[in-house]
Amino acid sequence: EVQLVESGGGVVRPGGSLRLSCAASGFTFAHYGMSWVRQVPGKGPEWVSGINWNGISTTYADSVKGRFSISRDDAKNSLYLQMDSLRAEDTAFYYCARLMEGYSGSAVDYWGQGTLVTVSS
Amino acid sequence: SYTLTQPLSVSVALGQTARITCGGDNIGSKFVHWYRQRPGQAPVLVIYRDTNRPSGIPERFSGSNSGNTATLTISGAQVGDEADYFCQAWDSGTAAVFGGGTKLTVL
């Protein structure tokens, strides 16, 4: 059974940093592109960042470019999101998501349960 | 940046057919995916690459995509289909884009 379990969310002050982690199991992690998607309750999801299967290609939403960094450790079956210079508008649930087919154009076929990030003074 | 537009809400009588649209500039040239999200839960993929159903999704769910509109069709709507539905596509191949979501109500 595919499982994606996020951790690392919490409350942080504006300008602060957080590192989210996603532990993957139930599939060959190294074979899949992965993404982070965030969602404010009551709003549509917002794609944040993605990384292809071998980690060579990474892309970011304009809203987080230069502040967030995605990475993966295939030996640990883990995905990460380093979030720096956090702003109030970054407050949301953050989901770890597996890309179904390759990278660009793909659907997300599995989602974690999400971890809440709250940026507030 | 690319924008996907969905109606805020759609209502359908029990057992009838619901259609949820997703508008975008020349969206027919892109693959569109659809997700169902129940309150307090993560989204679930219900249609991928315009018309394909993942395993476990009933045949009542179907999709189409042409011109400037993609459509999710739910036949024989059931109370259990009540949820928020989101469409998704990719912008210039580098960033995924989601629609704002449609709340489906089964009357």
Side-chain angles (χ1 to χ4, degrees):
Chain A
E1 178 192 7
V2 171
Q3 285 197 321
L4 301 170
V5 179
E6 303 95 339
S7 61
V11 181
V12 62
R13 295 186 184 278
S17 297
L18 275 179
R19 188 192 195 211
L20 304 184
S21 299
C22 171
S25 61
F27 65 102
T28 305
F29 180 73
H31 290 180
Y32 286 86
M34 300 292 295
S35 287
W36 289 97
V37 179
R38 68 186 180 185
Q39 186 177 29
V40 175
K43 303 290 187 183
E46 179 189 13
W47 182 84
V48 173
S49 180
I51 187 167
N52 74 333
W53 66 277
N54 61 12
I56 290 177
S57 177
T58 59
T59 52
Y60 300 89
D62 288 342
S63 57
V64 307
K65 204 170 291 183
R67 300 187 298 122
F68 290 12
S69 178
I70 191 172
S71 62
R72 64 189 298 158
D73 185 338
D74 291 346
K76 295 183 177 180
N77 291 333
S78 292
L79 178 72
Y80 305 100
L81 185 68
Q82 177 66 41
M83 305 187 295
D84 298 324
S85 303
L86 283 160
R87 306 167 180 167
E89 54 264 37
D90 296 319
T91 295
F93 282 94
Y94 283 72
Y95 293 99
C96 174
R98 189 181 86 165
L99 297 175
M100 186 178 192
E101 302 166 309
Y103 188 73
S104 176
S106 176
V108 171
D109 61 349
Y110 286 95
W111 302 67
Q113 283 305 302
T115 186
L116 179 61
V117 172
T118 303
V119 184
S120 174
S121 55
Chain B
S1 62
Y2 195 70
T3 302
L4 297 176
T5 302
Q6 298 181 237
L8 283 177
S9 62
V10 167
S11 298
V12 61
L14 184 67
Q16 298 304 301
T17 297
R19 293 179 179 84
I20 299 172
T21 59
C22 176
D25 183 34
N26 197 25
I27 196 173
S29 67
K30 302 176 183 292
F31 281 136
V32 175
H33 317 295
W34 290 91
Y35 304 89
R36 175 185 65 208
Q37 186 176 33
R38 295 184 172 124
Q41 297 184 13
V44 171
L45 181 67
V46 295
I47 293 289
Y48 66 97
R49 277 196 269 117
D50 298 339
T51 61
N52 297 275
R53 280 178 294 104
S55 61
I57 300 301
E59 291 183 8
R60 303 185 295 103
F61 287 78
S62 62
S64 63
N65 185 17
S66 178
N68 293 318
T69 305
T71 303
L72 172 69
T73 301
I74 306 171
S75 305
Q78 303 176 2
V79 173
D81 296 331
E82 287 198 334
D84 293 325
Y85 290 84
F86 300 96
C87 58
Q88 180 236 316
W90 282 72
D91 179 14
S92 303
T94 59
V97 178
F98 291 87
T102 298
K103 182 178 180 62
L104 177 67
T105 301
V106 180
L107 304 172

